[in-house]
C-alpha cells in the first residue's frame, strides 16, 4: 500500500488536485486517480537516485533532480504524450 496524505519533504509539499487524501491507497487506485502524493511518497521511498537511475535505464533522460521528478519534473517535464520520443514500442506476436 502507498501513502496518500500531504507530507512536507523539506519544504516540498505536493498536493492532490482534488485536495482529498485517502491515507493508504493501492498502486492501482493511485494510478487510476492520478494521486500526486502517493507518487511522490513512493519516489521518496525508492530514493531519488535509484528512481531516476531506473528512469534513465528505461530511456527517459532526467534533467531535474528532487522529488518533483515523480510528477514529471520542474523544467522540461514528462507527459505520456512525450514518452514515445524516448521509448521504443514493443509489439507482441502472440500470447501462449
Amino acid at each position: 500500500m502507498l501513502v496518500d496524505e500531504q507530507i512536507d519533504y523539506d519544504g516540498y509539499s505536493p498536493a492532490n488536485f482534488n485536495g482529498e487524501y485517502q491515507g493508504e491507497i493501492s498502486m492501482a487506485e493511485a494510478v487510476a486517480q492520478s494521486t500526486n502524493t502517493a507518487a511522490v511518497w513512493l519516489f521518496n521511498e525508492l530514493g531519488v537516485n535509484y528512481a531516476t537511475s531506473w528512469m534513465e535505464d528505461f530511456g527517459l533522460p532526467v534533467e531535474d533532480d528532487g522529488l518533483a521528478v515523480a510528477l514529471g519534473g520542474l523544467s522540461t517535464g514528462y507527459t505520456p504524450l512525450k514518452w514515445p520520443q524516448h521509448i521504443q514500442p514493443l509489439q507482441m506476436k502472440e500470447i501462449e
Side-chain angles (χ1 to χ4, degrees), residues 58 87-92:
F58 196 60
I87 300 172
Q88 296 298 317
L90 301 175
Q91 180 179 8
M92 296 176 73

Side-chain angles (χ1 to χ4, degrees), residues 26-64:
S26 70
M27 175 71 81
E29 282 297 310
V31 170
Q33 296 178 22
S34 191
T35 310
N36 293 337
T37 56
V40 173
W41 177 85
L42 179 59
F43 203 80
N44 185 63
E45 289 294 303
L46 292 171
V48 173
N49 291 336
Y50 175 80
T52 54
S53 173
W54 180 85
M55 291 171 68
E56 289 171 340
D57 288 347
F58 196 60
L60 296 169
V62 178
E63 297 178 17
D64 292 318

Side-chain angles (χ1 to χ4, degrees), residues 10-23:
D10 295 323
Y12 177 62
S13 184
N16 292 336
F17 178 75
N18 63 6
E20 297 176 7
Y21 306 92
Q22 298 181 38

